[in-house]
Amino acid sequence: MGASSVAPDYGLGYQQAMTMTLSKNGSITATSATPPLNKRAECDACPYCRDACDNVESCMPCQKKVNPMHAHCREPGKSWLMDALSSICPPQDKERPNTYTMCQLRRHNHADSAWILCGDTIYDATSYIRRHPGGLNAILRKTGGAVDCTEDLRFHSKRAQKEWRKFKVGTLRHCPHHVR
């Protein structure tokens, strides 16, 4: 006599199909029908901030980060019970809107999403990089927080500096994982 079920995730980043068998003597045996699909092996997101990997549709830890229901009371190592209670737990981190960690900024380092950092201000240069007089690579090599572009901002005319303000995305905030 056997029944199939799917084992809960428990914050491990994968689910595993299980077969439960009840023997004549009353003992229950659980066997795995498939090897675990450990999504953490593919996930490169920082577990300490709101950073999410590129596979968020199939990555359970990242889904929990981007899902508003799980937006608060999520810390690495919390149990599934704490996740279940998260809806009644008051927010611990009153994050300001439009703030990003370096972990999140690093993902915007290509022609389809080119964010640059000037001091603690983040700008989206995506719509402008193809028109930049210095060429596409002049901006791309500095995107994703690779370097602080404060000097580059100062290099430009006052008119160009004013144009930059239109592309402000937000400000940089500290990630608990990185030492200041």
Side-chain angles (χ1 to χ4, degrees), residues 107-174:
R107 297 191 179 280
H108 300 274
N109 64 350
H110 48 85
D112 294 329
S113 184
W115 290 9
I116 56 176
L117 178 66
C118 295
D120 67 346
T121 305
I122 302 168
Y123 298 95
D124 185 354
T126 309
S127 64
Y128 186 71
I129 58 174
R130 294 186 194 331
R131 300 186 323 247
H132 188 264
L136 181 94
N137 286 329
I139 295 178
L140 277 182
R141 66 179 178 202
K142 298 181 179 190
T143 60
V147 295
D148 184 342
C149 296
T150 303
E151 289 301 314
D152 297 282
L153 177 63
R154 290 185 188 137
F155 166 80
H156 290 84
S157 67
K158 294 291 180 194
R159 185 175 146 259
Q161 289 180 31
K162 193 174 180 181
E163 281 291 310
W164 277 41
R165 290 187 202 124
K166 294 178 185 177
F167 300 104
K168 181 179 177 181
V169 174
T171 56
L172 189 68
R173 70 177 181 88
H174 176 72

Side-chain angles (χ1 to χ4, degrees), residues 77-89:
K78 276 201 174 177
S79 70
W80 64 271
L81 178 59
M82 290 306 293
D83 277 347
L85 296 174
S86 68
S87 62
I88 60 171
C89 180

